[in-house]
Amino acid sequence: METKDLILRNWQDSDAKALYEMCLDEAIRKSGIDFYNSITDSQNAIQRWKNDKGFKVIADKRNDNFIGFISLGGMNRYDGYMEIEYAVAARHRNNGYAMQAVQRMLDYGFKEMNLSAIAAWVRSHNKESIKILEKCSFTYEGRLRKHARDKSDTLCYSVLREEWERISRLCIDIRIMDYDDIPLICRADGDESQKNIDYLKRQLDNQEKGECTALLALYNGAVAGYVFLYYKCRWGGLAGHNIPGIVDLIVFEKYRRKKIATMLLDEAENIARQHCNKIYLDVCLNSDYGPAQRFYIKRGYIPDGKGVYYKEKICEADVACRNDDELTLCLVKEL
C-alpha cells in the first residue's frame, strides 16, 4: 500500500533494530505503545507480526527505511470493529507521515477488510495524536477517566463506515490551517488586502498560543472555506463564560451546497467536546444570513434566551437598533 511519501508494507527481520530504537523514545512509552528491552525482543515480536495483514511497517517510499508502524486489531467486539494504532519515530515526525498512514489504513480497513467501524483510543496527554485523529475525521466519543495504565484519561474516537464513505464521495479534506495557507485563502476569497492578511495571521497567532483551532476546508485540493474554534471564546453573547465559540464559519461562494460547512462544523464540535459540554456562536439577523440561520437551527443551535445583541450588548426592549452585521442572535448547542 502506498501514499504520496510512504509504503505500508509487511514486517522484515531487518526492521528489528529500528523498532527497538524507536521504542526507547519517552514520548512513545508515554503514549502506551509497547517497548522492548533489546533488539532480540524486537526480533521476536516481528516474527509474530509477519503474517498479520492488519499490521504494517510505515516505510519511506524513496528507500524503504523504517519510519514507524500502523495496525488494525480486534477489540473483542465483533468482526467488523477494529482499533487503529500507530507510531512514528521521533526523527520522522512533523512531516505529515502519520496522517498519510492513518488515511491509507482507513481506506484499507473499509475497502479491503470490509470493516464497519474503526476506533482509536488515545491518552489525553497525547496532543499530537489527537490532532491527527481529528484531521482524519474521527469523531470524539467520550473520556474514560484514569483508564490508562499511567492513570491518565483515555479519549475514545471512531470513524463509521458510512462516515468514511460520505467523506470519500465528497472529496473534502478538513485540516489544521497554517501560515502558508494565508495567501491561498486570500486569493480564494478574492480579498488580498493587508487587512484580511493581518486578520488571518492574528487567528493563527492565537492558535499558536493554544487559544483556538483554525480549520481549513479543501475541495478537490482547492481552498474552499474555514472556521475558527476558540476554546474560551472572548466574543459574542457568551463571551467570558469559558465556553467554546465558533468564530467566522466561512465557505466561499463557488463551494457552497457541497456539505463543506457541515464538515467544518462537525470537526469544530468534535474538538469543542474535549473542553465543554456546549458550544455557541453568534449569527447576524439580516436576510443575507438567512441560510446560515436555518443551517444552525437544523443542527440543534438554539437562542440563549436573552434576545438580540447589538455590538455584543443585549438590546433592551423598545430600543431602536440598526439591522446591520452588528445585530446578532446568540445560539447555543448542547454537545
Side-chain angles (χ1 to χ4, degrees), residues 160-334:
L160 304 181
R161 181 182 188 83
E162 53 267 32
E163 294 170 340
W164 169 81
E165 289 175 342
R166 175 171 59 84
I167 293 167
S168 298
R169 286 196 305 270
L170 291 174
C171 303
I172 298 170
D173 180 33
I174 307 295
R175 64 167 175 79
I176 302 296
M177 187 190 299
D178 61 41
Y179 291 99
D180 291 339
D181 295 318
I182 291 178
L184 303 176
I185 295 168
C186 292
R187 200 171 303 129
D189 192 16
D191 181 1
E192 298 184 63
S193 67
Q194 191 61 46
K195 181 179 178 181
N196 197 30
I197 292 170
D198 291 344
Y199 170 74
L200 293 169
K201 184 177 182 300
R202 282 198 303 274
Q203 308 310 315
L204 294 179
D205 288 345
N206 290 337
Q207 181 172 243
E208 288 290 305
K209 296 174 187 175
E211 296 178 7
C212 70
T213 295
L215 296 171
L216 185 70
L218 303 175
Y219 185 82
N220 287 328
V223 172
Y226 60 84
V227 68
F228 305 116
L229 173 75
Y230 277 79
Y231 315 133
K232 297 179 181 179
C233 196
R234 307 193 300 269
W235 304 279
L238 293 179
H241 286 70
N242 294 334
I243 297 173
I246 295 292
V247 176
D248 280 350
L249 174 58
I250 303 293
V251 177
F252 303 133
E253 188 171 359
K254 68 181 290 187
Y255 298 108
R256 290 173 187 167
R257 293 178 292 279
K258 298 181 184 296
K259 302 294 184 182
I260 292 170
T262 295
M263 294 183 64
L264 280 168
L265 207 50
D266 284 346
E267 291 298 313
E269 290 173 0
N270 285 339
I271 298 169
R273 286 187 182 93
Q274 299 174 43
H275 300 270
C276 190
N277 61 359
K278 62 179 65 175
I279 187 173
Y280 82 96
L281 55 86
D282 291 80
V283 63
C284 298
L285 292 183
N286 64 64
S287 59
D288 289 345
Y289 294 87
Q293 296 162 11
R294 292 169 59 86
F295 170 68
Y296 294 134
I297 289 170
K298 286 178 180 179
R299 287 188 63 98
Y301 287 80
I302 62 173
D304 67 352
K306 296 179 181 179
V308 298
Y309 294 76
Y310 192 74
K311 294 184 178 180
E312 301 188 356
K313 294 183 179 179
I314 296 172
C315 290
E316 301 297 335
D318 299 322
V319 172
C321 58
R322 183 182 176 88
N323 189 11
D324 58 19
D325 286 358
E326 298 290 346
L327 186 66
T328 61
L329 194 64
C330 181
L331 303 179
V332 186
K333 179 179 179 178
E334 300 289 334

Side-chain angles (χ1 to χ4, degrees), residues 5-263:
D5 300 305
L6 308 172
I7 296 174
L8 306 187
R9 60 163 172 79
N10 293 334
W11 287 88
Q12 302 170 0
D13 292 335
S14 58
D15 296 319
K17 183 175 184 290
L19 173 64
Y20 166 69
E21 291 175 348
M22 182 185 77
C23 290
L24 294 176
D25 178 18
E26 190 62 26
I28 292 285
R29 297 181 180 223
K30 285 183 178 179
S31 73
I33 298 294
D34 287 339
F35 55 91
Y36 307 95
N37 295 319
S38 67
I39 294 176
T40 300
D41 287 347
S42 296
Q43 290 171 333
N44 293 336
I46 287 171
Q47 296 308 309
R48 301 194 300 271
W49 300 336
K50 278 185 174 180
N51 297 318
D52 187 339
K53 66 179 182 179
F55 199 171
K56 302 292 184 182
V57 168
I58 303 171
D60 191 321
K61 184 186 284 188
R62 297 168 299 182
N63 51 30
D64 200 39
N65 286 348
F66 179 97
I67 287 175
F69 62 75
I70 189 164
S71 70
L72 286 169
M75 293 185 73
N76 195 28
R77 298 296 185 272
Y78 55 87
D79 287 344
Y81 192 104
M82 284 192 167
E83 179 186 17
I84 193 167
E85 292 185 296
Y86 50 89
V88 171
R91 68 180 180 276
H92 296 295
R93 291 176 197 151
N94 301 314
N95 290 306
Y97 294 154
M99 186 170 173
Q100 287 185 44
V102 169
Q103 289 175 328
R104 183 63 184 90
M105 207 64 168
L106 289 177
D107 291 345
Y108 177 70
F110 288 122
K111 279 184 180 177
E112 300 181 41
M113 298 179 72
N114 199 31
L115 299 181
S116 299
I118 296 176
W121 286 17
V122 57
R123 296 188 183 187
S124 55
H125 53 69
N126 193 350
K127 304 300 182 185
E128 293 304 313
S129 187
I130 290 168
K131 286 181 182 179
I132 291 164
L133 295 175
E134 290 167 350
K135 288 179 181 179
C136 292
S137 300
F138 279 75
T139 295
Y140 173 69
E141 294 188 332
R143 178 185 291 262
L144 301 176
R145 296 179 297 171
K146 293 189 177 181
H147 171 266
R149 291 185 179 89
D150 64 358
K151 296 187 178 179
S152 64
D153 294 353
T154 296
L155 305 184
C156 305
Y157 288 81
S158 71
V159 177
L160 304 181
R161 181 182 188 83
E162 53 267 32
E163 294 170 340
W164 169 81
E165 289 175 342
R166 175 171 59 84
I167 293 167
S168 298
R169 286 196 305 270
L170 291 174
C171 303
I172 298 170
D173 180 33
I174 307 295
R175 64 167 175 79
I176 302 296
M177 187 190 299
D178 61 41
Y179 291 99
D180 291 339
D181 295 318
I182 291 178
L184 303 176
I185 295 168
C186 292
R187 200 171 303 129
D189 192 16
D191 181 1
E192 298 184 63
S193 67
Q194 191 61 46
K195 181 179 178 181
N196 197 30
I197 292 170
D198 291 344
Y199 170 74
L200 293 169
K201 184 177 182 300
R202 282 198 303 274
Q203 308 310 315
L204 294 179
D205 288 345
N206 290 337
Q207 181 172 243
E208 288 290 305
K209 296 174 187 175
E211 296 178 7
C212 70
T213 295
L215 296 171
L216 185 70
L218 303 175
Y219 185 82
N220 287 328
V223 172
Y226 60 84
V227 68
F228 305 116
L229 173 75
Y230 277 79
Y231 315 133
K232 297 179 181 179
C233 196
R234 307 193 300 269
W235 304 279
L238 293 179
H241 286 70
N242 294 334
I243 297 173
I246 295 292
V247 176
D248 280 350
L249 174 58
I250 303 293
V251 177
F252 303 133
E253 188 171 359
K254 68 181 290 187
Y255 298 108
R256 290 173 187 167
R257 293 178 292 279
K258 298 181 184 296
K259 302 294 184 182
I260 292 170
T262 295
M263 294 183 64

